[in-house]
Amino acid sequence: MSDLSSTAAEQSQAQSLNSILRHNWNLKEVNALFAMPFSDLMFKAQTIHRENFNPNEVQVSTLLSIKTGACPEDCKYCSQSARNKTDLEKESLLAVEKVLEAAQRAKEMGSTRFCMGAAWRNPKERDMPYVLDMVKSVKALGMETCMTLGMLSEEQADRLNGAGLDYYNHNLDTSPEHYNQIITTRTFQDRLDTLTNVRSSGMKVCSGGIVGLGEKAVDRASLLIQLANLNPQPESVPINMLVKVEGTPLANIDDLESFDFIRCIAVARIMMPHSHVRLSAGRTAMNEQMQAMCFLAGANSIFYGCKLLTAENPETNQDIALFEKLGINTETVAGDTERSDNIVKTAIADQQHSDLFYNASA
C-alpha cells in the first residue's frame, strides 16, 4: 500500500472512531474538548455531525403548555414556580380537544413532533386519563409525541408508553455539583431515577440542560458527561440558554458569552454523535449568525412556534427565512411524504393568530 493510500485509510479509520458511542467520558478529556481552538472544535464537531446526519436537515418540534403555572418546585430560573413572583397567569389542564387542534396546526406548519408540557412536580392519578388521551389523539394524527410532566414512577412511565408516547423529556438542568444552587425541592438522583423509569418502559429519552445559570465552565462539562454516560444516550438532547425572567432569583445574572454556548453545542455533538442536539430556549437572544454557528456546531433540532412553555421563541416565519438562507430542510418522519415547504409557508399566518400555543405571559 502506498503512503498516500495508507494515509487515506488511517483518516477513514479515525473518522469512524469519532462516531463510536462512549459511556465512559471523564472530566479531563471533556475539559480538553472545551479548551480546543474554536475552529478546530467546530471542524471536529461538524465532521462527526456529517458522519451521522444529513448536515442540511433539522428536526422540527412544537411545544405546547398543557398546564401552566403554580408548580411547587423551587427552580430558580422558572417563571412557573409558585415560589417565584413572576405574575404568571395560572391555567388549568387544557381539554383534549384543544390539544388536538393545536397539534393539527403544528403538523400543517411542518412539525414532526408534538411536545406537551405541564407544570407539575409529578402527574397525579386524576390527571393520567386526560394525559393518556392526549397522547393517543396526537399519535392518531401521525405525529411523534413527547411529554414533560415532571417525575414519573415506573407505573406511570409504563402507562404512557402503552398509550404510544414516543419521547419523554426530563432535563438534568445542570451539573450535579451546581444542582443544589438551582433546585432544592428534588434531587439530582430523582431526575436520574425518572430517566431510568422512562428508558425501562421502552420510551425514548429527551434530556439536556440549561447553560447560563451562573455555573462554571467545569459544570457545563460535568453536565454533558452525565448525559453522554447514560447508556443508552438520550435520543434528543436540548441545550437551553437561560431566558432570564423578572421575579426569579436568576433575573439579573450575567449573560453567558455566546462562544461559550456554541462550544457547548459542539462538545455535545462530539460526545453524543447519534443524538439529535436541540437548539432550544434562548434563541430570541441569538442573531441569525449565532444560530447558524450552532447548526454548524452540530445542532439539528429546534422548536417552531412563538412560545416554549413560558419562554419567548422566534416566530415560525423567521425560522423558515433563516432555513432558506442556510439551505436547510426540515426533517420528516418515516413514511411521511405529504409535508412540503409550501404547506409550511401557507400555514404560518394561522399560527401567528392562534391562541392555542400559549395563553399566559412570561
Side-chain angles (χ1 to χ4, degrees):
M1 180 181 295
S2 68
D3 290 343
L4 185 60
S5 299
S6 177
T7 300
E10 290 172 357
Q11 290 176 341
S12 177
Q13 183 180 18
Q15 286 182 343
S16 64
L17 289 174
N18 281 336
S19 295
I20 293 176
L21 288 176
R22 292 180 48 194
H23 308 284
N24 61 344
W25 291 93
N26 62 63
L27 195 58
K28 181 179 180 180
E29 59 188 339
V30 178
N31 280 339
L33 287 176
F34 273 99
M36 288 178 68
F38 186 75
S39 60
D40 292 347
L41 176 64
M42 293 291 283
F43 180 80
K44 183 176 180 68
Q46 177 62 197
T47 299
I48 291 175
H49 185 55
R50 286 174 177 271
E51 290 173 3
N52 296 282
F53 293 97
N54 181 336
N56 298 311
E57 197 170 75
V58 171
Q59 186 275 327
V60 174
S61 300
T62 293
L63 175 61
L64 174 72
S65 178
I66 60 173
K67 185 270 176 185
T68 302
C71 180
E73 306 283 15
D74 68 350
C75 307
K76 290 185 178 180
Y77 56 81
C78 188
S79 64
Q80 301 204 64
S81 171
R83 303 169 188 239
N84 296 332
K85 298 179 180 179
T86 61
D87 297 324
L88 182 73
E89 181 183 346
K90 295 181 291 185
E91 295 181 357
S92 58
L93 188 65
L94 286 180
V96 175
E97 293 78 9
K98 287 276 191 180
V99 174
L100 186 58
E101 184 178 346
Q104 180 62 52
R105 293 196 181 199
K107 181 179 181 181
E108 291 170 355
M109 286 179 288
S111 290
T112 59
R113 188 178 309 158
F114 193 70
C115 306
M116 295 158 273
W120 289 328
R121 175 177 171 81
N122 55 278
K124 302 294 190 293
E125 178 54 38
R126 65 176 180 270
D127 301 311
M128 287 300 292
Y130 299 99
V131 167
L132 298 175
D133 280 349
M134 289 177 189
V135 174
K136 294 173 183 177
S137 298
V138 175
K139 284 288 288 184
L141 295 176
M143 300 186 76
E144 291 182 325
T145 52
C146 179
M147 281 191 160
T148 177
L149 312 171
M151 295 184 289
L152 290 184
S153 66
E154 291 183 29
E155 187 263 349
Q156 288 172 327
D158 288 340
R159 290 170 70 184
L160 287 167
N161 180 58
L165 188 64
D166 297 297
Y167 289 80
Y168 193 80
N169 166 257
H170 200 64
N171 290 335
L172 297 182
D173 282 359
T174 189
S175 70
E177 297 80 10
H178 190 60
Y179 186 84
N180 287 340
Q181 302 299 313
I182 304 300
I183 304 154
T184 65
T185 49
R186 76 173 78 168
T187 66
F188 195 85
Q189 186 60 48
D190 286 335
R191 293 180 180 269
L192 294 175
D193 290 344
T194 289
L195 293 182
T196 297
N197 294 338
V198 169
R199 185 63 79 185
S200 297
S201 76
M203 288 185 289
K204 296 176 182 177
V205 169
C206 174
S207 186
I210 307 170
V211 295
L213 297 173
E215 77 281 353
K216 300 175 182 177
V218 69
D219 291 307
R220 293 191 281 277
S222 178
L223 168 64
L224 294 182
I225 288 171
Q226 291 292 320
L227 294 166
N229 286 353
L230 292 172
N231 192 2
Q233 293 179 347
E235 285 82 0
S236 181
V237 181
I239 305 296
N240 300 271
M241 187 166 69
L242 175 66
V243 177
K244 293 185 285 188
V245 178
E246 197 66 36
T248 65
L250 299 181
N252 298 313
I253 201 164
D254 292 340
D255 290 337
L256 184 72
E257 218 288 328
S258 297
F259 284 107
D260 289 337
F261 182 85
I262 299 168
R263 284 181 180 275
C264 198
I265 295 285
V267 175
R269 168 52 66 220
I270 293 167
M271 296 173 69
M272 292 170 277
H274 298 176
S275 302
H276 278 79
V277 176
R278 177 174 296 147
L279 182 58
S280 199
R283 286 201 296 129
T284 53
M286 303 177 194
N287 60 26
E288 290 185 336
Q289 292 76 18
M290 181 177 174
Q291 291 186 66
M293 291 293 284
C294 289
F295 292 132
L296 187 63
N300 62 338
S301 178
I302 65 163
F303 280 116
Y304 265 172
C306 56
K307 289 283 183 180
L308 301 183
L309 298 181
T310 64
E312 296 287 346
N313 199 47
E315 293 182 356
T316 308
N317 56 347
Q318 292 177 308
D319 289 325
I320 291 174
L322 178 58
F323 283 1
E324 289 181 345
K325 292 177 183 178
L326 300 178
I328 287 177
N329 299 310
T330 56
E331 183 179 290
T332 57
V333 294
D336 184 357
T337 59
E338 299 178 358
R339 185 173 292 109
S340 69
D341 287 342
N342 287 335
I343 292 176
V344 176
K345 293 174 183 177
T346 55
I348 290 171
D350 289 339
Q351 183 182 4
Q352 305 312 318
H353 300 291
S354 171
D355 61 354
L356 288 174
F357 287 87
Y358 187 67
N359 298 318
S361 59

